[in-house]
Amino acid sequence: MQLGLVGLGKMGFNMRERLRAHGHEVIGYDPRPEVTDTPSLGDLAAALTAPRVVWVMVPAGDITRDTITSLRDVLEEGDLVIDGGNSRFTDDRMNADLLAEKGIGYIDAGVSGGVWGLKNGYGLMVGGSEADVERAIPIFDALRPEGERADGFVHAGPVGAGHYSKMVHNGIEYGLMQAYAEGYELLEAEDLVQDVHGVLRAWSQGTVVRSWLLDLLVQALAQDPEFREISGYTEDSGEGRWTVEEAIRHAVPAPVISAALFARFASRQEDSPAMKAVSALRNQFGGHAVKRATTEETLRAPDPKK
Amino acid sequence: MQLGLVGLGKMGFNMRERLRAHGHEVIGYDPRPEVTDTPSLGDLAAALTAPRVVWVMVPAGDITRDTITSLRDVLEEGDLVIDGGNSRFTDDRMNADLLAEKGIGYIDAGVSGGVWGLKNGYGLMVGGSEADVERAIPIFDALRPEGERADGFVHAGPVGAGHYSKMVHNGIEYGLMQAYAEGYELLEAEDLVQDVHGVLRAWSQGTVVRSWLLDLLVQALAQDPEFREISGYTEDSGEGRWTVEEAIRHAVPAPVISAALFARFASRQEDSPAMKAVSALRNQFGGHAVKRATTEETLRAPDPKK
Amino acid sequence: MQLGLVGLGKMGFNMRERLRAHGHEVIGYDPRPEVTDTPSLGDLAAALTAPRVVWVMVPAGDITRDTITSLRDVLEEGDLVIDGGNSRFTDDRMNADLLAEKGIGYIDAGVSGGVWGLKNGYGLMVGGSEADVERAIPIFDALRPEGERADGFVHAGPVGAGHYSKMVHNGIEYGLMQAYAEGYELLEAEDLVQDVHGVLRAWSQGTVVRSWLLDLLVQALAQDPEFREISGYTEDSGEGRWTVEEAIRHAVPAPVISAALFARFASRQEDSPAMKAVSALRNQFGGHAVKRATTEETLRAPDPKK
Amino acid sequence: MQLGLVGLGKMGFNMRERLRAHGHEVIGYDPRPEVTDTPSLGDLAAALTAPRVVWVMVPAGDITRDTITSLRDVLEEGDLVIDGGNSRFTDDRMNADLLAEKGIGYIDAGVSGGVWGLKNGYGLMVGGSEADVERAIPIFDALRPEGERADGFVHAGPVGAGHYSKMVHNGIEYGLMQAYAEGYELLEAEDLVQDVHGVLRAWSQGTVVRSWLLDLLVQALAQDPEFREISGYTEDSGEGRWTVEEAIRHAVPAPVISAALFARFASRQEDSPAMKAVSALRNQFGGHAVKRATTEETLRAPDPKK
């Protein structure tokens, strides 16, 4: 079928390629002339046959909102917009309402798979009406992995359910990565274990901890043994935070996912204000030596007799 | 090749089957007459041709130690014992020394795969001397999954390295399971998500969180939707604890693995003494109502004027 | 000086008493006739001499917002409203703007001390303009504990800073309580320690962990040894959640405060959906016995050969 | 009464001073000639009148063990040794047995108060027999804070109970410090709060979070505003680790105390191996830019088409 695709970055570019390989007609729009198929959103709308389906694959937040607002202007009643970005699920209701004013449908689609999706297919979680989802099924079938539809695609519920599911997916992902990471660090710390890379690789088949993330970890270590080339400074991209906020809203204990999130926060600090406070306290009550911020000298404990 | 196998429980029984299917001659010993091939350890030793290889697959701790002590008595110089149980790595050095007194070799083998190993093969991490490991390679090759040896087997280091690796494997496993579990609970808590089982299943292919544990979770939910039949009471079997203790010994931060362990401890408490203390404190300073242990009545706050 | 006081509940009632004991003229309003001094907010405004100062001490959220909206109608330019409730700091800017439309000033005041404040004084953290705070100083001086002003009062910054500080205060409180609670549970668990109450009481003087919360814990145990009368079911009242949300917004690691919050969430669950998932997973891969939700029987492990 | 005191370091020196101020006769021994009262342990024993009481105040572990072994040689039946150091409670049984062979009694005493104990008195938790404890009561009364005995002293149980209680005390201390530290960091992160030091000081009186540790934090900030002079590098001294290990042994959830411990571990790492692994994983699946270990350049994501 025919699809408009707005946003041809790391994800959108690959998705266009995969969709075309599956026989769909994709007209892509991106502000960068070297990748776009059409000069403007207006031209995109004009090039598509009504009723249109347009997939939005741009950064979450303001850019998604602006794109959807612009699409509302150039699309018509009966068209359908799919937001495939990592939008917060609370944005979906607003986006859907904005489009509904003109009779345009809306689906939120959580998309997982990263740069590997082109080859392996993308895991898809979507939210929207039965009719809207039905209409876009050929697109979903092309994007998702081969095999049974239910193994790589779900219509999770009404508008918002797709991004909610993707958000939780990413929260879990934080926890999984941190679990492997802690185990990796412990193996590295123990002299008995002389082949850490080999141990991780041996877990690839047969073990309880085998997973795609483990495969990637093995591959990363093959490329950069002992991670000499990489720093521990780790970004977080929003969905881990939202997951913990949702856990709080629902009073769901989330010690693992939050610990993984906080480890990323800590990884970005040159020095921790909290730990300065702890260190200062130890010095106050115990006269314990502390490390000076700039030198190796230690501060003297206070004299309680004064 | 020929192998003695001591312990024909859930794991050992299946391993005998898999080894025989791969053409090895296995003589199993177990105190239960209905499964054993031989009436005693002495008979087992007599039935094997020297130099013997005997695999021990019994519960960790005293039973393993007693079994190895008994084997020392019936085996001879040049024989080899492999401990495939979930022994603590600190036991391995002692076991090896015990056997070395008589010139008997020792390998510690971490074995992962549970009840599925019979079919899929077992992930193996072993510790021991180069020569001992080389000698047992045909056994390891039969037990491990098909495919490249390094994807399901590692000679991790000297005696102890195998069980150390298995211990870390299990610690990671705790973290992974808890990450999925937190995400599952959050999906269940959110009304927008109407098909939780479908969401988890949709993650099976293409997504970043796909794994064998996820497949099992999907399967478990198919068997028992919303886990109505199962309680949250969760045992722990030692290796999660040892992993956290090792993290402490090596000063490696392990917030995720420890959170997963503590969640299991908490799952087994009818009521938490700690939370009674917190609740009592809230009552003391804030006059907040508290729940009585046995009824729904609330206690009165203390009167600070008295 | 003269003060209007809206809300005569657990906190407001005691504050009126303390203010009067310090010689201030307080006219209190509360919808409950048995405690109020005046039949309506309008009468309250009429009874106060302009420029008026009115302290609002009602539950955070809608009730506070409604009260402030009503006060805007009955107050005049030059009057001053102080919100002493546990409002979220993000509400303060809106409340201040609402009142500023009519030229009415606004102070947000975090108040700590619970039911003991009547006797000991209340710790106060306020946000607002220099002039507004200066004007209300006699009230703050009466409410705060005896001694140096800076030991029980701070003008923390502009509007919002008072409630922000109070929110962090409560977040810390969660962490402190949980730390004592974990230690208490551990003492109870160890047979060597035969006098847990005595140990806690011995910490009251001289030790590093002495604090007012510890004193309350000792007192609570004196009233209810081993907490036999109280359940571990523990509410949370909003500020712990906001603290973790602020930690996320500022990318500040908050493992302790969040762990304390999650422990409360868990305390309110009859059974944990997450731990059901973990237990189900253990059963799937290891054939580990699980506890049935309603009986002590165990489920059989799946047979992987099928 | 008369007391031998072995170890005149930061703690022992002050204790000798406090005991003498309370009228006791203290003969101190320390290998440093400038502080000792007697040239050797043998001379110490000779100078004391039997039945002797000797307080050992030396670093936990080997030094304590060696000291006690030496004391056994120079003391006699009917004498009493008190270990006031931070020994692990598991050492106490061994120490007691060692001394019991010669009929010498043993008390383990947990001592809290740090450098402030000289002035304020020390919180004391002791383990031992009724008779031994009774005999040393005059010493305990001099060391503990003024006031009721039970507010600064406890006979917690048999040998080991004193150090167990002290261990838990220190574990709690870790949690308390971290709770304040997280709150401090959050206050520092929020622009609305313009006087962080003032906020903490305002909590000194009347609030729920008031404590001696808070007083020390206020004092530390007065000496070094914003902790510019101190680094976050924070040691841990054993008892926090033992507390978590005991929590594991007793299956007591200890998320707060362990989080505080792990934060210290992390504070001492220049870069985190675990976070390198997480960062490498993000790069693998998402093509997310990563920070190079030594430069600001970023690594390219892998090309999944290859």
Side-chain angles (χ1 to χ4, degrees):
Chain A
M1 61 181 274
Q2 194 192 48
L3 182 79
L5 178 53
V6 178
L8 299 167
K10 209 155 46 183
M11 292 293 286
F13 188 92
N14 282 348
M15 289 166 75
R16 178 171 65 177
E17 201 168 329
R18 184 168 173 99
L19 285 164
R20 284 177 177 165
H22 279 71
H24 295 295
E25 180 197 349
V26 183
I27 306 176
Y29 168 71
D30 192 280
R32 293 167 303 148
E34 66 274 24
V35 292
T36 195
D37 297 322
T38 179
S40 74
L41 281 185
D43 290 297
L44 175 67
L48 295 165
T49 310
R52 302 165 189 84
V53 181
V54 180
W55 187 293
V56 177
M57 206 66 196
V58 300
D62 291 346
I63 301 180
T64 292
R65 174 62 45 89
D66 292 348
T67 303
I68 281 170
T69 307
S70 302
L71 281 172
R72 186 185 53 171
D73 295 339
V74 300
L75 295 180
E76 294 173 314
E77 185 172 347
D79 290 349
L80 173 64
V81 170
I82 302 170
D83 176 16
N86 276 329
S87 298
R88 190 164 189 167
F89 80 101
T90 43
D91 290 346
D92 289 317
R93 194 65 259 158
M94 287 183 285
N95 290 340
D97 290 346
L98 206 67
L99 293 165
E101 291 167 11
K102 267 189 73 175
I104 304 167
Y106 181 81
I107 287 173
D108 58 294
V111 178
S112 176
V115 294
W116 298 84
L118 170 58
K119 184 176 159 198
N120 298 338
Y122 301 88
L124 301 176
M125 305 131 254
V126 311
S129 75
E130 207 60 63
D132 284 343
V133 171
E134 192 53 44
R135 191 165 149 202
I137 276 287
I139 298 302
F140 298 139
D141 277 346
L143 289 174
R144 69 170 175 81
E146 308 291 317
E148 282 197 60
R149 183 183 290 159
D151 287 338
F153 170 85
V154 67
H155 179 191
V159 164
H163 280 139
Y164 200 93
S165 301
K166 179 57 173 18
M167 177 197 76
V168 174
H169 165 284
N170 282 33
I172 291 171
E173 180 189 303
Y174 276 53
L176 302 180
M177 289 163 80
Q178 195 70 27
Y180 286 116
E182 290 178 12
Y184 163 75
E185 182 168 338
L186 190 49
L187 289 174
E188 282 288 357
E190 172 56 46
D191 286 342
L192 273 180
V193 180
Q194 295 174 348
D195 182 5
V196 173
H197 182 244
V199 170
L200 295 174
R201 188 173 165 195
W203 294 345
S204 304
Q205 300 291 338
T207 70
V208 175
V209 303
R210 66 188 190 263
S211 72
W212 189 59
L213 277 168
L214 176 67
D215 295 343
L216 293 182
L217 186 58
V218 171
Q219 184 171 299
L221 274 170
Q223 291 166 6
D224 177 8
E226 298 175 41
F227 295 133
R228 286 192 211 95
E229 307 265 323
I230 203 169
S231 109
Y233 183 104
T234 311
E235 297 283 359
D236 72 289
S237 56
E239 281 163 316
R241 298 178 181 215
W242 302 336
T243 305
V244 178
E245 287 169 3
E246 281 300 296
I248 291 171
R249 188 167 70 87
H250 284 299
V252 165
V256 159
I257 296 175
S258 60
L261 179 65
F262 292 144
R264 294 197 183 184
F265 291 170
S267 81
R268 303 200 296 260
Q269 298 186 315
E270 292 243 350
D271 202 352
S272 156
M275 298 316 295
K276 284 167 174 258
V278 173
S279 193
L281 276 173
R282 290 185 82 237
N283 177 249
Q284 286 289 331
F285 69 72
H288 297 290
V290 297
K291 235 183 162 175
R292 298 205 53 155
T294 45
T295 77
E296 293 297 307
E297 295 169 65
T298 56
L299 297 170
R300 296 290 303 170
D303 183 348
K305 280 173 290 184
K306 284 180 193 162
Chain B
M1 61 180 276
Q2 194 191 48
L3 181 79
L5 177 53
V6 180
L8 299 167
K10 209 154 46 183
M11 292 293 288
F13 189 92
N14 282 347
M15 290 166 74
R16 179 172 63 176
E17 201 168 329
R18 185 171 172 97
L19 285 164
R20 285 177 177 166
H22 279 71
H24 294 295
E25 181 196 350
V26 183
I27 306 176
Y29 168 72
D30 191 280
R32 292 170 303 148
E34 66 272 24
V35 292
T36 195
D37 299 321
T38 182
S40 73
L41 280 185
D43 289 297
L44 176 68
L48 295 166
T49 311
R52 304 165 188 82
V53 180
V54 179
W55 188 292
V56 177
M57 205 67 195
V58 301
D62 289 347
I63 300 180
T64 293
R65 172 64 44 89
D66 291 347
T67 303
I68 282 171
T69 307
S70 302
L71 281 173
R72 187 186 51 172
D73 294 340
V74 299
L75 296 181
E76 296 173 313
E77 184 171 349
D79 292 347
L80 172 64
V81 171
I82 302 171
D83 176 16
N86 276 328
S87 299
R88 191 164 188 165
F89 80 100
T90 43
D91 290 346
D92 290 316
R93 192 67 260 158
M94 287 181 287
N95 290 340
D97 290 347
L98 208 64
L99 294 165
E101 290 167 11
K102 267 189 72 175
I104 304 166
Y106 181 81
I107 288 175
D108 57 296
V111 177
S112 175
V115 293
W116 297 86
L118 170 58
K119 184 177 158 198
N120 298 337
Y122 302 88
L124 302 175
M125 304 132 254
V126 310
S129 75
E130 206 61 62
D132 285 343
V133 172
E134 190 55 42
R135 191 167 148 200
I137 276 286
I139 299 300
F140 298 139
D141 277 346
L143 289 174
R144 69 168 175 82
E146 309 291 317
E148 280 197 61
R149 182 183 291 159
D151 287 337
F153 170 86
V154 67
H155 179 192
V159 163
H163 280 142
Y164 200 94
S165 302
K166 178 60 173 16
M167 176 197 75
V168 174
H169 165 283
N170 282 32
I172 291 171
E173 181 189 303
Y174 277 52
L176 302 181
M177 288 164 79
Q178 195 69 27
Y180 285 117
E182 291 178 11
Y184 163 75
E185 181 169 338
L186 190 49
L187 289 174
E188 281 289 356
E190 171 57 45
D191 287 341
L192 273 179
V193 179
Q194 295 173 348
D195 183 4
V196 171
H197 181 245
V199 169
L200 295 175
R201 188 172 166 196
W203 294 344
S204 304
Q205 300 291 339
T207 70
V208 175
V209 302
R210 65 188 190 264
S211 73
W212 188 60
L213 277 168
L214 177 67
D215 295 343
L216 293 182
L217 186 58
V218 171
Q219 184 172 299
L221 274 169
Q223 292 165 6
D224 178 8
E226 298 176 40
F227 294 132
R228 284 192 211 96
E229 308 265 323
I230 201 170
S231 106
Y233 183 103
T234 311
E235 296 283 359
D236 73 288
S237 55
E239 281 163 315
R241 298 178 181 216
W242 302 336
T243 304
V244 177
E245 287 169 3
E246 281 301 296
I248 291 171
R249 188 169 68 88
H250 284 299
V252 165
V256 159
I257 295 174
S258 59
L261 179 64
F262 293 143
R264 294 196 182 184
F265 291 171
S267 81
R268 304 199 296 260
Q269 298 185 315
E270 291 243 351
D271 203 352
S272 157
M275 297 317 293
K276 285 167 173 259
V278 172
S279 193
L281 276 174
R282 290 184 82 236
N283 177 248
Q284 286 289 333
F285 69 72
H288 298 288
V290 297
K291 235 182 162 175
R292 299 205 54 156
T294 46
T295 77
E296 293 297 307
E297 295 170 66
T298 55
L299 296 170
R300 296 290 305 170
D303 183 348
K305 280 173 289 183
K306 285 180 193 161
Chain C
M1 62 180 272
Q2 195 192 48
L3 181 79
L5 176 54
V6 180
L8 299 167
K10 209 156 43 184
M11 291 293 285
F13 188 92
N14 283 347
M15 289 166 75
R16 179 173 61 178
E17 201 168 329
R18 185 171 171 96
L19 285 164
R20 284 178 177 165
H22 279 71
H24 294 294
E25 181 196 351
V26 183
I27 307 176
Y29 168 72
D30 191 280
R32 293 169 302 148
E34 66 272 25
V35 292
T36 196
D37 298 320
T38 180
S40 73
L41 281 185
D43 289 298
L44 176 68
L48 296 166
T49 310
R52 303 165 188 84
V53 180
V54 180
W55 186 293
V56 177
M57 206 68 196
V58 300
D62 291 346
I63 300 180
T64 293
R65 174 62 45 87
D66 293 347
T67 302
I68 282 170
T69 307
S70 302
L71 282 174
R72 186 186 53 173
D73 295 339
V74 299
L75 295 181
E76 295 174 312
E77 186 172 346
D79 291 348
L80 172 64
V81 170
I82 301 170
D83 177 15
N86 275 329
S87 299
R88 192 165 188 165
F89 81 100
T90 43
D91 290 347
D92 290 318
R93 192 65 260 156
M94 287 182 286
N95 290 340
D97 290 348
L98 207 66
L99 294 167
E101 290 167 11
K102 266 190 73 174
I104 304 166
Y106 180 82
I107 288 174
D108 58 295
V111 177
S112 176
V115 294
W116 299 85
L118 171 58
K119 184 178 157 197
N120 299 337
Y122 301 88
L124 302 175
M125 305 132 252
V126 310
S129 75
E130 205 61 61
D132 285 343
V133 171
E134 190 54 43
R135 192 167 146 199
I137 276 287
I139 299 301
F140 298 139
D141 277 346
L143 289 173
R144 68 169 176 82
E146 310 291 316
E148 280 197 60
R149 183 183 289 158
D151 287 337
F153 170 86
V154 67
H155 179 192
V159 164
H163 281 139
Y164 200 93
S165 302
K166 178 58 174 14
M167 177 197 75
V168 174
H169 164 283
N170 283 32
I172 291 171
E173 180 189 302
Y174 277 53
L176 302 181
M177 288 163 80
Q178 195 68 28
Y180 286 116
E182 291 179 11
Y184 163 74
E185 182 168 339
L186 190 49
L187 289 174
E188 281 289 357
E190 171 57 44
D191 286 341
L192 273 180
V193 180
Q194 296 173 347
D195 183 4
V196 172
H197 182 245
V199 170
L200 295 175
R201 187 171 167 197
W203 294 345
S204 304
Q205 300 291 339
T207 71
V208 175
V209 303
R210 66 187 189 263
S211 72
W212 188 60
L213 278 167
L214 176 68
D215 295 343
L216 293 182
L217 186 57
V218 170
Q219 185 171 300
L221 274 169
Q223 292 166 6
D224 177 8
E226 297 174 42
F227 295 132
R228 287 192 211 95
E229 307 265 324
I230 201 169
S231 109
Y233 183 102
T234 311
E235 298 283 359
D236 73 287
S237 56
E239 282 163 315
R241 299 179 180 216
W242 302 336
T243 305
V244 178
E245 287 170 3
E246 281 301 297
I248 291 172
R249 189 168 69 86
H250 284 300
V252 165
V256 160
I257 295 174
S258 60
L261 180 64
F262 292 144
R264 294 197 183 185
F265 291 171
S267 80
R268 303 199 297 260
Q269 299 185 315
E270 292 243 350
D271 204 351
S272 156
M275 297 318 293
K276 284 165 173 261
V278 172
S279 193
L281 275 172
R282 291 185 82 237
N283 177 249
Q284 286 289 330
F285 69 73
H288 297 290
V290 297
K291 236 185 161 173
R292 297 205 54 155
T294 45
T295 77
E296 292 297 308
E297 294 170 66
T298 55
L299 296 171
R300 297 287 307 168
D303 182 349
K305 280 174 286 185
K306 284 183 194 159
Chain D
M1 63 181 273
Q2 193 192 49
L3 181 80
L5 176 53
V6 179
L8 299 166
K10 210 155 43 183
M11 291 293 286
F13 189 92
N14 283 346
M15 289 166 75
R16 178 173 62 178
E17 200 168 330
R18 184 171 173 97
L19 286 164
R20 284 176 177 168
H22 279 71
H24 294 294
E25 180 197 350
V26 183
I27 306 175
Y29 168 72
D30 192 280
R32 292 168 304 148
E34 67 272 25
V35 291
T36 195
D37 298 321
T38 180
S40 73
L41 281 184
D43 290 297
L44 175 67
L48 295 166
T49 311
R52 303 166 188 83
V53 181
V54 179
W55 188 292
V56 177
M57 205 68 196
V58 300
D62 291 346
I63 300 179
T64 293
R65 174 63 44 87
D66 293 348
T67 302
I68 283 170
T69 308
S70 302
L71 282 173
R72 186 186 52 172
D73 295 340
V74 298
L75 295 181
E76 295 173 312
E77 186 173 346
D79 290 348
L80 172 65
V81 170
I82 302 170
D83 176 15
N86 276 329
S87 298
R88 191 165 188 164
F89 80 100
T90 43
D91 289 348
D92 290 317
R93 193 66 261 156
M94 288 182 286
N95 290 339
D97 290 347
L98 206 65
L99 294 166
E101 291 167 11
K102 267 190 72 175
I104 304 167
Y106 180 81
I107 288 174
D108 57 296
V111 178
S112 176
V115 292
W116 299 85
L118 171 57
K119 184 176 157 197
N120 299 337
Y122 302 88
L124 301 176
M125 303 133 254
V126 311
S129 74
E130 206 61 61
D132 284 344
V133 171
E134 190 54 41
R135 190 167 148 199
I137 276 287
I139 299 300
F140 298 139
D141 277 345
L143 287 174
R144 68 169 176 82
E146 308 292 317
E148 281 196 59
R149 183 183 289 159
D151 287 337
F153 170 85
V154 68
H155 179 193
V159 163
H163 280 139
Y164 200 92
S165 302
K166 178 59 173 15
M167 176 198 76
V168 174
H169 165 284
N170 282 32
I172 291 172
E173 178 188 304
Y174 276 53
L176 302 180
M177 288 163 80
Q178 195 69 26
Y180 285 116
E182 290 179 12
Y184 163 74
E185 182 168 338
L186 191 48
L187 289 174
E188 281 289 357
E190 171 58 46
D191 286 342
L192 273 180
V193 180
Q194 294 174 350
D195 183 4
V196 172
H197 182 245
V199 169
L200 296 174
R201 189 173 165 197
W203 294 345
S204 305
Q205 300 291 338
T207 71
V208 175
V209 302
R210 64 189 190 263
S211 72
W212 188 60
L213 277 167
L214 176 68
D215 295 343
L216 293 182
L217 186 58
V218 171
Q219 184 171 301
L221 274 170
Q223 290 166 6
D224 177 8
E226 299 175 41
F227 295 132
R228 285 193 211 95
E229 307 266 323
I230 203 170
S231 109
Y233 183 103
T234 310
E235 296 285 358
D236 72 288
S237 55
E239 283 163 314
R241 300 178 180 216
W242 302 337
T243 304
V244 177
E245 287 169 3
E246 281 301 296
I248 291 172
R249 188 167 70 86
H250 284 299
V252 165
V256 159
I257 295 175
S258 60
L261 180 64
F262 292 145
R264 294 198 183 184
F265 291 171
S267 81
R268 304 200 295 261
Q269 297 185 313
E270 292 244 348
D271 204 352
S272 156
M275 297 317 294
K276 284 167 174 260
V278 172
S279 193
L281 275 173
R282 291 185 81 237
N283 177 249
Q284 286 288 332
F285 69 73
H288 298 290
V290 297
K291 234 184 163 175
R292 299 204 54 156
T294 46
T295 77
E296 292 297 307
E297 294 170 66
T298 56
L299 296 170
R300 296 289 305 169
D303 182 349
K305 280 174 289 184
K306 284 181 196 161

